[in-house]
Amino acid sequence: VQLQASGGGLVQPGGSLRLSCVASGFTLDDYAAGWFRQAPGKEREWVSCISSNDGSTYYADSVKGRFTISRDNAKNTVYLQMNSLKPEDTAVYYCATALSCGSEYDYWDQGTLVTVSS
């Protein structure tokens, strides 16, 4: 069972990135999938979640209207499209799975670094 996130990098303020998280060893569609982030010197914070049953999506207020979470069940992958990026979005981003968006997350990937800087 493994999650592997990718797509991080350096981007200028106002730019965009798309993170991908591929699951192996299990069917991602059976789980809710979420994204978290941890900025230097700060605690990890929840960013977004997409449910497994009806595909409902949820966002932290700090990213609402800028980030979009989606999933491609055929590819066993969840995405986080990040637009209008700000320096305060700089963090290591993690994907994780849970039985539902409101339950404890059990599987995590190792993270991908996003740096927003000019």
Side-chain angles (χ1 to χ4, degrees):
V1 174
Q2 187 176 12
L3 292 171
Q4 181 65 55
S6 62
L10 174 64
V11 63
Q12 292 187 342
S16 299
L17 281 176
R18 188 179 77 158
L19 305 183
S20 301
C21 179
V22 181
S24 58
F26 68 102
T27 302
L28 188 59
D29 189 29
D30 292 339
Y31 297 87
W35 288 95
F36 292 75
R37 66 186 182 185
Q38 186 167 19
K42 296 186 177 181
E43 294 187 353
R44 185 173 61 196
E45 66 171 338
W46 170 78
V47 173
S48 182
C49 184
I50 184 167
S51 68
S52 61
N53 48 5
D54 61 2
S56 296
T57 57
Y58 308 90
Y59 299 94
D61 287 343
S62 58
V63 306
K64 199 172 294 183
R66 300 187 298 121
F67 291 10
T68 303
I69 190 171
S70 62
R71 63 197 309 161
D72 185 334
N73 294 328
K75 296 182 178 180
N76 225 25
T77 300
V78 63
Y79 302 98
L80 186 69
Q81 177 67 44
M82 305 185 295
N83 298 330
S84 301
L85 283 162
K86 305 175 181 180
E88 52 263 43
D89 294 316
T90 295
V92 177
Y93 284 71
Y94 301 89
C95 65
T97 59
L99 292 178
S100 69
C101 284
S103 61
E104 182 178 357
Y105 288 81
D106 42 19
Y107 293 113
W108 296 79
D109 86 297
Q110 294 185 345
T112 185
L113 176 63
V114 172
T115 303
V116 184
S117 175
S118 55

